[in-house]
Amino acid sequence: LEFGGDVSGNGNAKGIGRFGGFKAPAMGVRNDTWIEQTGTESSYAIPVTFGLGVKVALTKRWSLGTGVNYTLLQRTFSGVYTKVQDGETVTKLSSDVRNSIHYIGVPLNVYYDIVSGNHFRLYAYGGGTFEKGVKNSFRVKNAPEDIILSEKVKGVQRSAGAGLGVEFVVSKRFGIYLDPGFRYYFDCDQPVSIRTQQPFTMNFELGFRVDL
């Protein structure tokens, strides 16, 4: 069981041309709804990840780990929401927009125990993760009720990471671990997020391990 996050910051949204299905369509559209981002500045929330994993020993010091993760990426930007019906613009609203992208991922890591004691373990790890975006939603602030739009996420996000980890053995079969490290997100034509702006990040993973 794990909980993690990436350390990143705010800044310009690189790859804004990939905005997706909510970019303004061609002229002459009769029925459509879209959002255009005004400017390039975005405010990014810290990505949050939850997951379950399993670790299988290969030798005394080497082991292999995998599992399934859920990640939420969020950002806020200034945009214009437009709705066209029968060729007429019925709504044109300037507002802050909250963008949320939901990913399901499968990590594959190799672990090497540097120090392995009864109460403390120090190890190095490295590997990659494949993630599929399952939802990309946009919430436009509006009174009395917010406007919500969603679009599909094409392709798969690939990343590679490495770091050092430490585990504190609480009992014979239970431990608490912390895995700080670095991760690089490859350019996979994904929607704009903190990953497209800062593909190289430092991440922290905290979790519990149960030996079965």
Side-chain angles (χ1 to χ4, degrees):
L1 177 63
E2 65 187 46
F3 169 81
D6 295 325
V7 176
S8 303
N10 298 333
N12 294 337
K14 295 180 181 178
I16 195 65
R18 310 174 185 168
F19 190 66
F22 295 115
K23 197 174 181 181
M27 296 296 292
V29 63
R30 295 194 58 81
N31 295 283
D32 207 343
T33 303
W34 67 88
I35 298 171
E36 288 183 277
Q37 180 167 342
T38 55
T40 58
E41 291 293 324
S42 293
S43 177
Y44 297 91
I46 294 177
V48 177
T49 298
F50 296 93
L52 290 172
V54 61
K55 192 174 170 184
V56 180
L58 302 176
T59 65
K60 185 177 180 179
R61 291 187 178 273
W62 291 94
S63 58
L64 187 67
T66 186
V68 60
N69 295 333
Y70 162 79
T71 298
L72 173 63
L73 306 177
Q74 290 187 315
R75 71 185 179 106
T76 301
F77 60 90
S78 297
V80 177
Y81 166 82
T82 304
K83 184 176 182 179
V84 175
Q85 288 183 340
D86 298 326
E88 298 288 336
T89 300
V90 296
T91 304
K92 197 173 186 68
L93 173 65
S94 296
S95 174
D96 287 340
V97 181
R98 170 58 65 93
N99 178 211
S100 300
I101 309 175
H102 305 260
Y103 281 96
I104 299 295
V106 176
L108 183 63
N109 293 311
V110 176
Y111 298 84
Y112 177 78
D113 290 342
I114 302 172
V115 177
S116 182
N118 294 329
H119 303 289
F120 174 83
R121 296 173 186 167
L122 176 66
Y123 52 87
Y125 68 91
T129 301
F130 295 88
E131 296 175 277
K132 175 61 181 175
V134 294
K135 186 178 182 181
N136 186 17
S137 64
F138 301 83
R139 179 183 291 270
V140 182
K141 293 184 179 180
N142 184 45
E145 186 176 354
D146 291 348
I147 300 169
I148 300 176
L149 301 177
S150 295
E151 68 173 355
K152 294 181 179 179
V153 181
K154 298 179 181 179
V156 175
Q157 173 69 69
R158 302 185 304 276
S159 64
L164 291 175
V166 59
E167 180 178 351
F168 300 95
V169 182
V170 179
S171 65
K172 184 178 180 180
R173 295 187 177 276
F174 182 75
I176 300 174
Y177 73 91
L178 175 64
D179 287 357
F182 295 92
R183 181 160 295 276
Y184 182 80
Y185 294 93
F186 297 99
D187 186 357
C188 300
D189 200 27
Q190 294 296 289
V192 175
S193 72
I194 190 62
R195 294 175 174 178
T196 61
Q197 188 225 351
Q198 295 181 2
F200 185 74
T201 65
M202 183 177 181
N203 61 280
F204 295 90
E205 185 177 300
L206 174 67
F208 306 96
R209 284 202 178 103
V210 180
D211 293 335
L212 301 178

